[in-house]
Amino acid sequence: MIKSKRWLMACLVLASCGFTATTSPEASLKKVFKNDFLMGAALNGKQASGKDPEATAIITQHFNTISPENVLKWEAIHPQPEKYNFGPADAYVAFGRQHNMFTVGHTLVWHSQTPDWVFEDAHGKAAGKALLQQRMAEHINTVAGRYKGQIGGWDVVNEALNDDGTLRQSKWYTIIGEDYLAQAYQLARKADPKAELYYNDYNLWKPAKREGALRLVRSLQAKGLKVDGIGMQGHWGLESPSIAQIEESIVAFSKVGKVMITELDIDVLPNPSNRNGADIDATFAFDEKYNVYTNGLPEEVQQKLARRYADIFALFHKHREKIARVTFWGVTDADSWLNNWPIKGRTSYPLLFDRTYQPKPALDAVLKSVSKSSSSQ
């Protein structure tokens, strides 16, 4: 018996005995990490409206916070100048309220998935500074104001930085100037003073971009603006970034506010040009050599994915006092945006549940990662 227990502990620490896809019906991510951080998933429109009961079962069992994949992005909720489409967003917020979940708003100001008319005048030419400022104010007042007291935290500005840490030359920047950032946070705070306000971006493990995010948040905070924390998008691969690189950013960002791990998924497929991050404009034509697991994920890769998740969550547990929330970008592999990025039509496997709503070995790995973390400290 003693030998058996020692062997089990060694397996947990080294993940050398492999992970299984079977978990007890009582197993729950939100219960395992209840004293550490919130556990979340991004919902698509069907899930947010309660029309995917199998997904609802997973969501309510495992998660206590939700993010919207698309329903609160500008093109979805405000498609035309005088038209708002509140139905899907209302359903999303109602889902969170019904299940007593911390509900995240994503996102108020972003260069992508924002209709062209936002940046144009009545004649189709580039909008002037005053007009774009007016539109930003009206949008934030209307959307954040509508869900005042119902959305707990907003990704106010999303992906405003280049990988070298400089500000992205988006239309927000080129028309309004750098001050658009401060204005966005000022407007969001006025619309809902009690909501937490975040900055969210990808590739924040890169040193130059990390420093750029720190400069940005500190400069906003120095102006007296409310920025409660930084969302580190976890669009990572099986080997990159390293655990050390992720850890360096968690520690650095904890010095300016809360740290959120957002949009977590692990891409197991080969990537054209070895691209990383989440620039949705960086797409490629379909090529079978980048779609190699159409008939299912080989067991060797399943275990590699599980070990990767085990290592990542052991790190998160180590820094649980710094991390407020960990959110997966999707519920099952079938929902993942990685099926269509950077190449449309791929069969991707980045999450903890497969296309039939069944747990993968990666779920077992995450549930056991607390023991792994505790044993290594």
Side-chain angles (χ1 to χ4, degrees), residues 98-299:
Q98 177 186 356
H99 298 290
N100 195 30
M101 294 176 165
F102 183 84
T103 303
V104 178
H106 176 83
T107 173
L108 292 171
V109 176
W110 189 25
H111 66 277
S112 191
Q113 290 185 254
T114 302
D116 290 340
W117 66 260
V118 176
F119 306 107
E120 296 174 351
D121 64 17
H123 305 288
K125 297 182 179 180
K129 179 177 180 178
L131 177 58
L132 186 54
Q133 287 175 318
Q134 177 186 338
R135 285 178 174 161
M136 179 170 67
E138 190 255 345
H139 179 82
I140 292 176
N141 290 339
T142 301
V143 176
R146 181 179 182 87
Y147 302 113
K148 179 179 179 180
Q150 301 177 75
I151 284 182
W154 277 100
D155 292 333
V156 177
V157 177
N158 194 49
E159 301 173 4
L161 296 170
N162 298 310
D163 276 6
D164 64 1
T166 60
L167 287 173
R168 182 190 294 269
Q169 299 291 300
S170 68
K171 291 180 180 178
W172 293 108
Y173 181 90
T174 57
I175 295 173
I176 297 177
E178 183 176 346
D179 196 45
Y180 87 89
L181 294 151
Q183 292 172 24
Y185 284 92
Q186 187 175 33
L187 289 163
R189 183 175 187 179
K190 185 177 181 181
D192 191 347
K194 293 184 179 180
E196 294 183 346
L197 307 180
Y198 317 126
Y199 175 71
N200 190 62
D201 212 330
Y202 62 85
N203 282 353
L204 290 180
W205 56 270
K206 293 186 174 183
K209 197 163 190 178
R210 177 198 310 139
E211 292 306 312
L214 289 169
R215 283 195 304 272
L216 172 59
V217 171
R218 284 172 175 153
S219 69
L220 293 169
Q221 292 173 338
K223 294 181 173 76
L225 295 166
K226 175 183 169 73
V227 185
D228 294 290
I230 295 176
M232 291 177 57
Q233 293 183 22
H235 297 301
W236 301 327
L238 283 172
E239 297 179 354
S240 178
S242 70
I243 295 299
Q245 289 170 322
I246 299 169
E247 183 172 32
E248 287 172 7
S249 289
I250 291 172
V251 172
F253 294 150
S254 70
K255 296 176 182 176
V256 298
K258 295 184 176 184
V259 179
M260 278 70 59
I261 307 300
T262 65
E263 310 188 25
L264 179 60
D265 50 30
I266 303 298
D267 194 355
V268 303
L269 298 179
N271 207 329
S273 304
N274 294 315
R275 299 194 71 88
N276 49 34
D279 184 351
I280 67 171
D281 294 326
T283 57
F284 296 82
F286 185 83
D287 191 324
E288 286 291 353
K289 69 182 179 181
Y290 298 116
N291 190 35
V292 293
Y293 304 129
T294 56
N295 296 319
L297 200 60
E299 182 60 23

Side-chain angles (χ1 to χ4, degrees), residues 57-105:
I58 292 173
I59 295 161
T60 54
Q61 178 178 351
H62 288 282
F63 304 115
N64 48 21
T65 177
I66 53 173
S67 295
E69 188 175 15
N70 288 304
V71 298
L72 277 166
K73 290 174 181 174
W74 198 312
E75 70 176 7
I77 200 169
H78 193 181
Q80 297 174 21
E82 304 300 327
K83 178 182 177 181
Y84 283 87
N85 181 26
F86 289 120
D90 285 353
Y92 162 74
V93 172
F95 185 99
R97 185 170 59 250
Q98 177 186 356
H99 298 290
N100 195 30
M101 294 176 165
F102 183 84
T103 303
V104 178

Side-chain angles (χ1 to χ4, degrees), residues 10-70:
C11 284
L12 291 174
V13 174
L14 300 176
S16 59
C17 59
F19 298 99
T20 69
T22 58
T23 56
S24 70
E26 296 78 23
S28 170
L29 292 167
K30 66 183 180 183
K31 290 180 181 178
V32 168
F33 295 100
K34 66 179 180 180
N35 296 322
D36 305 321
F37 36 73
L38 296 175
M39 289 294 304
L43 310 190
N44 60 31
K46 184 177 178 181
Q47 293 159 351
S49 62
K51 296 178 180 178
D52 188 348
E54 290 179 286
T56 298
I58 292 173
I59 295 161
T60 54
Q61 178 178 351
H62 288 282
F63 304 115
N64 48 21
T65 177
I66 53 173
S67 295
E69 188 175 15
N70 288 304

